[in-house]
Amino acid sequence: MRPRLLVAADPSLPRQAPPGTEAIVVGAGVAGVSAATVLAERGVAVTLVEAAATLGGRLGAWPVTLPDGSEQVVEHGFHAFFRQYYTWRDVLRRIDPGLGFLRPVEGYPVISRRFPPEDLGGLPAAPPLNLLALFARSASLTVRDLAGADVALGTELLTFDRHRTTTLLDTMSAGDFLAGLRVSNRAREMLFEAFARSFFCDPQGLSAAELVAMFHFYFLGNPEGIGFDAPCTDHLHAIWAPLAEYLRARGATIRTGCALRSLRPDGPDWSLEFDDGATLTSRHVVLALDPGALRDVAGASPELASVAPRLAGQAAALTTAPPFVVTRLWLEADVDASRAVFSAVSGEATLDSVTVYSRLEEPSAQWAREHGGCVLELHSYACTEPEGAGDRMVAELAALWPETAGAAHVHRVDRVDANAPAFPPGSAGTRPGVRTDARGVRVAGDFVEAPIVCGLMERAAVTGVLAAADVLAEVGATGVDVYGVPQRGLLAGLPSRARHRAVGRP
């Protein structure tokens, strides 16, 4: 299978926007920078505004000073750059055409105190060979597991069809769906729940339809396989500084440390008020905010409800996932040589993954060589009790990797954020799409309803470039081609009566 052209640009339209076209992009994460990149390349005078001091959103990075005076760059948490992120990778090729800064991350183990590890890496790339190989080698999916499973419900993973799957499964939680599969506790914990939690949501707070869509995008409908890459240096120097330079070279203005407070219609334009007292006006606006920020801006913009009631209502209904907690550790001793660079963690109350950064990126590796230690990052994706979460993750890691128990901490950085999107049961169709009923206002981000099935960073990039394409279409210029994975499951179209019964439908 190959990437499929899912959104085609109109070749009959000019590539460049008319002279004098301006746009404001609010939010400089993956979505906002993707939108700004396309617009700036097409001759649009872009102003990119970001509330934080640095670009990147949840992929952002910033320097910290260690006790010895050395500087290290830390991030919001490890992010895998999956190979089916076609749009995001296309944006990144602006700064590195060969994507040489990305390196494969070997293995994809899921570790647990209760069960032997499972490794999701090294499988054949394309379905169904990857699924057959997983069945053949996994100790968590035995003949007994399969004999006791709900085949009708399990088939939903292979028969993904966006409309039908949403209609059938959106009101069910991912937790109930996984329990309904009736596989063993081992199979559920090691192969399904670890995957579900990586979307920053507790399984009970995640729609089963969204979970099935992500299984399709990342595994069961993906021609690239589940292997992934990661930058060989920190995100600040690998991604955000080069992209900022690329944008400025094309005439974009970048303003950081400036949060949007409200917006209001101003004739044919929109007037945007920021917390530093600045007011910017433009006919074209892309709101690439996190869901909580968009909700707050809409709530502080009373005129929005009268001119764009649908957007105002959708923004008001947005919810965020539980907080996520990231702890970066600099230890005096290294971990065992057998430890994988990235490990998903199952069965712990707080810890969801651990990354050995000193085996991932060069700045951390250099620190480890100089000090004889290692740099680790611990991540809790959906932490309902963030207070003390860092200490709990350190203790849980010590039970999994005993060599960390006695290793002295040279430095530690804890961060708690609560800006990831939630996809709760029953929420399909309630989130804004790229095009809104506010003329001239587009919305982009990983929570936005995209016209194609994609997830996380790729959804942010896709909605960003589609927001830019919508601006270009309004001024008479062509957009961009968008590629993606096959949009239906391997067995889509099979009769569904048995599966309707399996999920309690008549």
Side-chain angles (χ1 to χ4, degrees):
M1 290 189 292
R2 296 181 178 179
R4 299 189 179 186
L5 177 61
L6 300 176
V7 180
D10 185 348
S12 68
L13 295 175
R15 178 178 174 83
Q16 292 299 107
T21 305
E22 299 179 349
I24 299 172
V25 179
V26 186
V30 172
V33 169
S34 297
T37 296
V38 172
L39 291 171
E41 288 173 338
R42 305 302 180 84
V44 177
V46 177
T47 300
L48 177 63
V49 189
E50 167 58 41
T54 55
L55 308 188
R58 285 197 305 280
L59 201 67
W62 58 95
V64 298
T65 302
L66 272 57
D68 63 2
S70 63
E71 186 177 272
Q72 292 269 293
V73 174
V74 300
E75 297 143 7
H76 285 282
F78 174 78
H79 287 75
F81 289 62
F82 286 90
R83 290 158 197 161
Q84 70 271 32
Y85 286 178
Y86 304 122
T87 301
W88 178 222
R89 284 171 174 254
D90 187 52
V91 172
L92 293 174
R93 284 190 176 92
R94 269 67 166 197
I95 56 173
D96 185 346
L99 297 181
F101 70 94
L102 292 178
R103 297 286 187 273
V105 176
E106 300 299 332
Y108 189 167
V110 181
I111 61 175
S112 166
R113 275 193 261 184
R114 296 180 59 195
F115 305 112
E118 287 276 357
D119 193 348
L120 301 180
L123 295 171
L129 296 179
N130 56 2
L131 187 61
L132 294 173
L134 178 63
F135 281 146
R137 82 180 193 190
S138 172
S140 299
L141 281 177
T142 65
V143 173
R144 179 179 297 178
D145 288 315
L146 296 177
D150 186 327
V151 176
L153 192 60
T155 304
E156 289 298 326
L157 295 170
L158 293 167
T159 57
F160 172 76
D161 174 88
R162 189 169 191 172
H163 175 73
R164 190 195 63 78
T165 299
T166 300
T167 301
L168 186 63
L169 296 177
D170 183 56
T171 57
M172 174 185 280
S173 76
D176 289 344
F177 178 86
L178 296 177
L181 290 176
R182 295 204 306 265
V183 295
S184 68
N185 288 339
R186 176 175 175 176
R188 188 172 68 249
E189 286 189 18
M190 300 299 290
L191 297 177
F192 294 105
E193 288 186 357
F195 176 85
R197 291 185 66 84
S198 66
F199 298 100
F200 295 90
C201 297
D202 182 87
Q204 289 304 129
L206 177 66
S207 162
E210 180 72 11
L211 178 70
V212 172
M214 293 303 98
F215 265 114
H216 175 80
F217 178 70
Y218 284 98
F219 187 59
L220 298 176
N222 163 33
E224 305 293 344
I226 204 167
F228 54 84
D229 308 312
C232 59
T233 190
D234 62 82
H235 294 168
L236 178 61
H237 294 96
I239 300 171
W240 301 114
L243 278 174
E245 182 180 352
Y246 182 89
L247 286 169
R248 290 191 178 104
R250 284 150 186 81
T253 299
I254 300 175
R255 301 180 58 175
T256 58
C258 187
L260 177 64
R261 290 305 183 206
S262 64
L263 73 164
R264 59 179 176 81
D266 185 5
D269 299 332
W270 288 89
S271 181
L272 286 71
E273 297 181 358
F274 294 86
D275 62 357
D276 64 352
T279 299
L280 300 178
T281 302
S282 179
R283 184 178 180 85
H284 305 289
V285 176
V286 177
L287 298 178
L289 303 166
D290 66 67
L294 179 59
R295 184 186 59 222
D296 292 345
V297 167
S301 306
E303 295 178 64
L304 188 65
S306 61
V307 298
R310 186 175 75 240
L311 175 59
Q314 290 169 332
L318 289 172
T319 57
T320 54
F324 61 93
V325 182
V326 179
T327 293
R328 182 77 66 103
L329 296 171
W330 290 262
L331 303 183
E332 284 189 344
D334 200 358
V335 295
D336 189 275
S338 66
R339 306 304 186 194
V341 170
F342 172 83
S343 299
V345 177
S346 179
E348 298 299 328
T350 310
L351 181 63
D352 288 317
S353 72
V354 53
T355 306
V356 185
Y357 261 72
S358 44
R359 298 174 189 172
L360 177 73
E361 57 162 39
E362 180 53 32
S364 294
Q366 181 178 346
W367 185 91
R369 288 192 297 268
E370 293 172 353
H371 294 80
C374 68
V375 183
L376 305 179
E377 184 183 85
L378 316 182
H379 205 155
S380 182
Y381 295 128
C383 188
T384 55
E385 298 181 8
E387 184 69 28
D391 292 337
R392 297 196 303 274
M393 288 195 292
V394 168
E396 290 165 5
L397 179 65
L400 289 161
W401 291 359
E403 69 270 25
T404 66
H409 293 192
V410 175
H411 194 55
R412 169 174 158 180
V413 173
D414 295 306
R415 186 173 180 91
V416 180
D417 281 299
N419 53 18
F423 300 90
S427 65
T430 66
R431 293 178 289 276
V434 171
R435 183 180 294 175
T436 76
D437 58 340
R439 195 224 56 79
V441 175
R442 290 85 178 174
V443 180
D446 58 2
F447 64 95
V448 172
E449 294 279 1
I452 66 174
V453 176
C454 50
L456 297 177
M457 283 192 281
E458 180 67 357
R459 185 181 289 163
V462 164
T463 55
V465 301
L466 291 179
D470 198 57
V471 173
L472 294 169
E474 183 175 329
V475 299
T478 191
V480 293
D481 291 335
V482 175
Y483 290 82
V485 305
Q487 295 292 285
R488 303 182 76 211
L490 291 169
L491 303 181
L494 288 181
S496 59
R497 179 183 296 180
R499 297 197 300 277
H500 276 262
R501 287 202 304 271
V503 295
R505 296 293 179 89

